[in-house]
Amino acid sequence: MKVSPSSKAMWLKCEGAHTYRYTDGLTLKSESIDDRRTTGRIVHEVLRAYWRLPATQRTYEVLTSVLEPLLEEAAFSTQVERDAQSMISRFFAAFGTDEKAFPIAATEMLLTGDKDGYSIEAYIDAYYENENYRYIGEVKTGAPDAAYYLEKHEQHLDYAYLMNHLLGPKPTMVVYTLLTPKIATRYSITVTSANLEYADYQWTRYLAWIRNHEPRPVYNAGFWCRFCEFSELCTARRVAGTDEMAKSRYTQRAGFALPAAEEG
Protein backbone atom coordinates (compact mmCIF):
# COMPACT_ATOMS: atom_id res chain seq x y z
CA MET A 1 0.00 0.00 0.00
CA LYS A 2 1.25 3.48 -0.90
CA VAL A 3 1.09 6.46 1.43
CA SER A 4 2.40 10.00 1.11
CA PRO A 5 3.41 13.05 3.17
CA SER A 6 0.14 14.68 2.12
CA SER A 7 -1.96 11.81 3.46
CA LYS A 8 -0.03 11.80 6.75
CA ALA A 9 -0.40 15.58 7.14
CA MET A 10 -4.17 15.29 6.67
CA TRP A 11 -4.32 12.45 9.22
CA LEU A 12 -2.51 14.62 11.77
CA LYS A 13 -5.10 17.35 11.29
CA CYS A 14 -8.15 15.06 11.44
CA GLU A 15 -8.75 11.35 11.02
CA GLY A 16 -12.20 12.12 9.64
CA ALA A 17 -10.85 14.32 6.83
CA HIS A 18 -8.27 11.64 6.04
CA THR A 19 -11.05 9.04 5.78
CA TYR A 20 -13.12 11.20 3.42
CA ARG A 21 -10.16 11.82 1.11
CA TYR A 22 -8.18 8.58 1.16
CA THR A 23 -10.72 5.91 2.17
CA ASP A 24 -13.92 7.26 0.63
CA GLY A 25 -12.03 8.87 -2.27
CA LEU A 26 -14.06 12.09 -2.19
CA THR A 27 -13.00 15.30 -3.93
CA LEU A 28 -14.73 18.64 -3.68
CA LYS A 29 -16.44 19.82 -6.87
CA SER A 30 -16.16 23.60 -7.17
CA GLU A 31 -15.34 25.82 -10.13
CA SER A 32 -13.16 28.10 -8.00
CA ILE A 33 -11.27 25.16 -6.47
CA ASP A 34 -10.83 23.55 -9.90
CA ASP A 35 -9.44 26.85 -11.21
CA ARG A 36 -6.92 27.05 -8.36
CA ARG A 37 -5.79 23.47 -8.93
CA THR A 38 -5.43 24.09 -12.67
CA THR A 39 -3.46 27.29 -12.08
CA GLY A 40 -1.14 25.47 -9.68
CA ARG A 41 -0.53 22.68 -12.17
CA ILE A 42 0.33 25.14 -14.95
CA VAL A 43 2.70 27.17 -12.77
CA HIS A 44 4.49 24.01 -11.62
CA GLU A 45 4.89 22.83 -15.21
CA VAL A 46 6.32 26.18 -16.31
CA LEU A 47 8.82 26.39 -13.46
CA ARG A 48 10.02 22.82 -13.93
CA ALA A 49 10.74 23.52 -17.60
CA TYR A 50 12.48 26.74 -16.58
CA TRP A 51 14.66 24.99 -14.00
CA ARG A 52 15.76 22.32 -16.48
CA LEU A 53 17.64 25.01 -18.38
CA PRO A 54 21.20 26.09 -17.54
CA ALA A 55 21.11 28.92 -15.00
CA THR A 56 22.39 31.47 -17.53
CA GLN A 57 19.42 30.80 -19.83
CA ARG A 58 16.72 31.41 -17.24
CA THR A 59 15.08 34.61 -18.40
CA TYR A 60 11.60 36.10 -18.20
CA GLU A 61 11.21 35.57 -21.94
CA VAL A 62 11.80 31.85 -21.43
CA LEU A 63 9.17 31.72 -18.71
CA THR A 64 6.54 33.38 -20.87
CA SER A 65 7.49 31.28 -23.91
CA VAL A 66 6.68 28.15 -21.90
CA LEU A 67 3.51 29.59 -20.32
CA GLU A 68 1.79 31.00 -23.41
CA PRO A 69 1.52 27.72 -25.39
CA LEU A 70 0.09 25.97 -22.31
CA LEU A 71 -2.64 28.59 -22.03
CA GLU A 72 -3.36 28.47 -25.76
CA GLU A 73 -3.59 24.67 -26.01
CA ALA A 74 -6.58 24.36 -23.67
CA ALA A 75 -9.69 26.39 -23.03
CA PHE A 76 -8.81 27.58 -19.55
CA SER A 77 -10.97 30.16 -17.84
CA THR A 78 -9.99 33.82 -17.88
CA GLN A 79 -9.29 33.58 -14.14
CA VAL A 80 -6.79 30.75 -14.66
CA GLU A 81 -4.95 32.68 -17.38
CA ARG A 82 -4.86 35.86 -15.32
CA ASP A 83 -3.65 34.14 -12.15
CA ALA A 84 -1.00 32.04 -13.92
CA GLN A 85 0.43 35.07 -15.72
CA SER A 86 0.47 37.07 -12.49
CA MET A 87 2.24 34.29 -10.54
CA ILE A 88 4.92 33.85 -13.21
CA SER A 89 5.52 37.63 -13.39
CA ARG A 90 5.80 37.91 -9.62
CA PHE A 91 8.08 34.88 -9.46
CA PHE A 92 10.62 36.39 -11.86
CA ALA A 93 10.41 39.86 -10.33
CA ALA A 94 11.16 38.42 -6.90
CA PHE A 95 13.63 35.63 -7.71
CA GLY A 96 14.94 36.15 -11.23
CA THR A 97 18.41 37.19 -10.05
CA ASP A 98 18.61 34.37 -7.50
CA GLU A 99 17.65 31.75 -10.06
CA LYS A 100 20.61 32.59 -12.29
CA ALA A 101 22.99 31.55 -9.50
CA PHE A 102 21.12 28.45 -8.33
CA PRO A 103 21.84 25.24 -10.26
CA ILE A 104 19.16 22.53 -10.30
CA ALA A 105 20.23 18.88 -10.52
CA ALA A 106 16.75 17.39 -11.01
CA THR A 107 13.10 18.41 -11.29
CA GLU A 108 9.95 16.48 -10.35
CA MET A 109 12.11 14.00 -8.46
CA LEU A 110 10.45 10.93 -6.95
CA LEU A 111 11.38 10.14 -3.35
CA THR A 112 10.55 6.67 -2.06
CA GLY A 113 11.00 4.70 1.11
CA ASP A 114 9.66 1.55 2.74
CA LYS A 115 8.53 1.42 6.35
CA ASP A 116 6.56 -1.17 8.30
CA GLY A 117 5.33 -2.85 5.12
CA TYR A 118 4.16 0.37 3.43
CA SER A 119 5.62 2.29 0.50
CA ILE A 120 6.06 6.03 1.09
CA GLU A 121 6.19 8.17 -2.06
CA ALA A 122 6.54 11.89 -2.67
CA TYR A 123 7.51 14.15 -5.55
CA ILE A 124 9.65 17.23 -5.04
CA ASP A 125 9.79 20.07 -7.53
CA ALA A 126 13.56 20.60 -7.60
CA TYR A 127 16.75 19.20 -6.10
CA TYR A 128 20.33 20.39 -5.79
CA GLU A 129 23.29 19.23 -3.71
CA ASN A 130 26.69 20.71 -2.85
CA GLU A 131 29.46 19.63 -0.49
CA ASN A 132 27.61 20.96 2.56
CA TYR A 133 23.88 20.57 2.02
CA ARG A 134 21.10 18.96 0.06
CA TYR A 135 18.54 21.49 -1.16
CA ILE A 136 14.94 20.50 -1.82
CA GLY A 137 12.94 23.07 -3.77
CA GLU A 138 9.17 23.18 -3.38
CA VAL A 139 6.67 25.49 -5.06
CA LYS A 140 3.34 26.08 -3.32
CA THR A 141 0.49 28.00 -4.93
CA GLY A 142 -2.59 29.33 -3.18
CA ALA A 143 -3.22 31.55 -0.17
CA PRO A 144 -1.76 30.13 3.06
CA ASP A 145 -3.70 29.64 6.26
CA ALA A 146 -2.95 28.02 9.60
CA ALA A 147 -3.81 24.55 8.28
CA TYR A 148 -1.46 25.16 5.36
CA TYR A 149 1.48 25.83 7.66
CA LEU A 150 0.90 22.66 9.68
CA GLU A 151 0.80 20.62 6.48
CA LYS A 152 3.94 22.22 5.07
CA HIS A 153 5.79 21.77 8.35
CA GLU A 154 5.07 18.04 8.23
CA GLN A 155 5.89 17.75 4.54
CA HIS A 156 9.29 19.40 4.73
CA LEU A 157 10.29 16.93 7.45
CA ASP A 158 9.04 14.06 5.32
CA TYR A 159 10.90 15.21 2.21
CA ALA A 160 14.17 15.31 4.16
CA TYR A 161 13.30 11.99 5.84
CA LEU A 162 12.84 10.29 2.46
CA MET A 163 15.90 11.98 0.96
CA ASN A 164 18.07 10.66 3.79
CA HIS A 165 16.53 7.22 3.34
CA LEU A 166 17.27 7.33 -0.39
CA LEU A 167 20.75 8.89 -0.45
CA GLY A 168 22.06 8.54 3.08
CA PRO A 169 22.38 11.10 5.88
CA LYS A 170 23.37 14.66 5.07
CA PRO A 171 22.23 18.11 6.27
CA THR A 172 19.14 19.08 4.28
CA MET A 173 17.51 22.43 3.61
CA VAL A 174 13.98 22.75 2.21
CA VAL A 175 13.42 25.94 0.20
CA TYR A 176 9.75 26.90 -0.21
CA THR A 177 8.61 29.29 -2.93
CA LEU A 178 5.09 30.51 -2.14
CA LEU A 179 3.20 32.05 -5.06
CA THR A 180 -0.23 33.62 -5.29
CA PRO A 181 -1.52 36.19 -7.78
CA LYS A 182 -0.54 38.88 -5.22
CA ILE A 183 2.41 37.38 -3.33
CA ALA A 184 5.81 35.90 -4.16
CA THR A 185 7.92 34.94 -1.18
CA ARG A 186 10.53 32.35 -0.30
CA TYR A 187 11.70 30.85 2.97
CA SER A 188 14.02 28.01 3.91
CA ILE A 189 14.04 25.45 6.71
CA THR A 190 17.09 23.50 7.87
CA VAL A 191 16.22 19.97 8.96
CA THR A 192 18.04 18.59 12.01
CA SER A 193 18.62 15.00 13.15
CA ALA A 194 16.02 15.58 15.87
CA ASN A 195 13.52 16.56 13.15
CA LEU A 196 14.20 13.29 11.34
CA GLU A 197 13.68 11.27 14.52
CA TYR A 198 10.37 13.07 15.02
CA ALA A 199 9.35 12.32 11.42
CA ASP A 200 10.12 8.63 11.92
CA TYR A 201 8.03 8.60 15.09
CA GLN A 202 5.08 10.21 13.30
CA TRP A 203 5.32 7.74 10.42
CA THR A 204 5.28 4.85 12.92
CA ARG A 205 2.11 6.24 14.51
CA TYR A 206 0.40 6.92 11.19
CA LEU A 207 1.11 3.52 9.66
CA ALA A 208 0.01 1.76 12.85
CA TRP A 209 -3.28 3.70 12.65
CA ILE A 210 -3.85 2.65 9.04
CA ARG A 211 -3.16 -0.96 9.95
CA ASN A 212 -5.24 -1.07 13.13
CA HIS A 213 -7.86 1.69 13.16
CA GLU A 214 -11.55 0.96 13.39
CA PRO A 215 -13.94 2.04 10.60
CA ARG A 216 -15.14 5.01 12.69
CA PRO A 217 -12.37 7.64 12.76
CA VAL A 218 -11.91 10.29 15.42
CA TYR A 219 -13.16 13.71 14.26
CA ASN A 220 -10.90 16.40 15.64
CA ALA A 221 -13.60 19.08 15.76
CA GLY A 222 -12.25 22.51 16.56
CA PHE A 223 -9.83 25.07 15.18
CA TRP A 224 -8.92 23.21 11.97
CA CYS A 225 -12.55 22.83 10.87
CA ARG A 226 -12.68 26.40 9.56
CA PHE A 227 -10.00 25.54 6.99
CA CYS A 228 -11.24 22.05 6.07
CA GLU A 229 -12.86 21.42 2.69
CA PHE A 230 -14.86 18.62 4.29
CA SER A 231 -16.37 20.72 7.10
CA GLU A 232 -19.89 20.91 5.63
CA LEU A 233 -19.90 17.27 4.68
CA CYS A 234 -18.56 16.27 8.09
CA THR A 235 -21.44 17.97 9.91
CA ALA A 236 -23.98 16.51 7.51
CA ARG A 237 -22.70 12.97 7.88
CA ARG A 238 -22.79 13.18 11.65
CA VAL A 239 -26.45 14.16 11.39
CA ALA A 240 -27.05 11.32 8.93
CA GLY A 241 -25.50 8.81 11.32
CA THR A 242 -25.17 5.36 9.77
CA ASP A 243 -27.87 5.84 7.10
CA GLU A 244 -25.97 5.14 3.88
CA MET A 245 -28.68 6.67 1.65
CA ALA A 246 -28.63 9.88 3.70
CA LYS A 247 -24.83 9.96 3.58
CA SER A 248 -24.92 9.73 -0.20
CA ARG A 249 -27.47 12.56 -0.47
CA TYR A 250 -25.46 14.80 1.86
CA THR A 251 -22.28 14.02 -0.05
CA GLN A 252 -23.76 15.09 -3.37
CA ARG A 253 -25.52 18.12 -1.88
CA ALA A 254 -22.24 19.33 -0.37
CA GLY A 255 -20.70 19.25 -3.86
CA PHE A 256 -18.42 16.21 -3.59
CA ALA A 257 -17.66 13.84 -6.42
CA LEU A 258 -18.18 10.22 -5.51
CA PRO A 259 -15.41 7.87 -6.73
CA ALA A 260 -16.22 6.01 -9.94
CA ALA A 261 -17.24 2.39 -9.50
CA GLU A 262 -14.58 -0.08 -10.57
CA GLU A 263 -15.42 -2.22 -13.58
CA GLY A 264 -15.49 -6.00 -13.38
Side-chain angles (χ1 to χ4, degrees):
M1 178 179 175
K2 294 180 181 179
V3 291
S4 70
S6 295
S7 66
K8 180 171 76 70
M10 181 166 284
W11 169 77
L12 284 168
K13 286 185 288 188
C14 179
E15 293 177 11
H18 180 282
T19 300
Y20 290 141
R21 172 67 59 78
Y22 295 101
T23 302
D24 296 346
L26 299 178
T27 55
L28 185 59
K29 294 174 65 177
S30 163
E31 184 175 343
S32 62
I33 288 179
D34 287 345
D35 279 354
R36 291 199 297 271
R37 289 170 178 162
T38 300
T39 302
R41 179 178 58 78
I42 292 172
V43 170
H44 276 77
E45 191 169 338
V46 170
L47 292 181
R48 286 167 184 161
Y50 175 76
W51 281 330
R52 292 187 191 108
L53 296 172
T56 55
Q57 296 181 23
R58 295 177 194 155
T59 65
Y60 182 69
E61 288 72 24
V62 167
L63 277 172
T64 56
S65 71
V66 177
L67 174 63
E68 290 172 0
L70 289 175
L71 296 178
E72 291 174 358
E73 287 172 8
F76 295 125
S77 70
T78 302
Q79 189 65 50
V80 169
E81 293 186 15
R82 185 185 302 118
D83 287 349
Q85 290 167 343
S86 177
M87 287 184 191
I88 291 302
S89 296
R90 289 185 180 279
F91 170 84
F92 194 81
F95 311 119
T97 302
D98 296 340
E99 294 298 317
K100 291 182 180 299
F102 190 69
I104 302 292
T107 61
E108 201 173 6
M109 182 178 179
L110 173 64
L111 303 180
T112 61
D114 295 320
K115 182 173 174 61
D116 300 341
Y118 292 85
S119 175
I120 306 171
E121 293 189 0
Y123 281 94
I124 58 174
D125 293 321
Y127 166 72
Y128 164 65
E129 184 173 348
N130 61 22
E131 63 275 11
N132 298 317
Y133 279 94
R134 291 194 184 105
Y135 294 89
I136 296 174
E138 274 294 295
V139 177
K140 301 299 178 185
T141 58
D145 53 34
Y148 169 95
Y149 284 113
L150 170 68
E151 182 175 341
K152 297 304 159 286
H153 169 74
E154 292 298 326
Q155 285 189 2
H156 87 253
L157 295 183
D158 292 334
Y159 295 146
Y161 177 77
L162 291 172
M163 186 68 79
N164 277 263
H165 177 88
L166 196 64
L167 300 176
K170 187 172 185 176
T172 303
M173 182 176 292
V174 182
V175 181
Y176 279 112
T177 301
L178 175 62
L179 296 174
T180 76
K182 297 181 179 180
I183 299 172
T185 188
R186 179 173 280 175
Y187 61 97
S188 60
I189 304 165
T190 301
V191 180
T192 67
S193 58
N195 293 146
L196 297 179
E197 291 174 4
Y198 170 79
D200 185 70
Y201 166 72
Q202 291 288 48
W203 276 110
T204 299
R205 290 183 58 230
Y206 174 47
L207 298 178
W209 179 83
I210 293 176
R211 188 165 49 248
N212 302 322
H213 85 285
E214 297 180 0
R216 293 184 180 180
V218 175
Y219 294 87
N220 299 334
F223 175 76
W224 299 113
C225 294
R226 74 182 72 177
F227 305 110
C228 181
E229 65 184 279
F230 299 104
S231 58
E232 181 179 351
L233 175 60
C234 179
T235 302
R237 278 200 168 183
R238 290 192 203 188
V239 173
T242 58
D243 185 336
E244 294 301 323
M245 290 288 289
K247 286 183 180 181
S248 178
R249 289 197 300 272
Y250 278 122
T251 299
Q252 296 179 50
R253 188 182 306 168
F256 283 84
L258 295 169
E262 295 183 3
E263 296 183 359

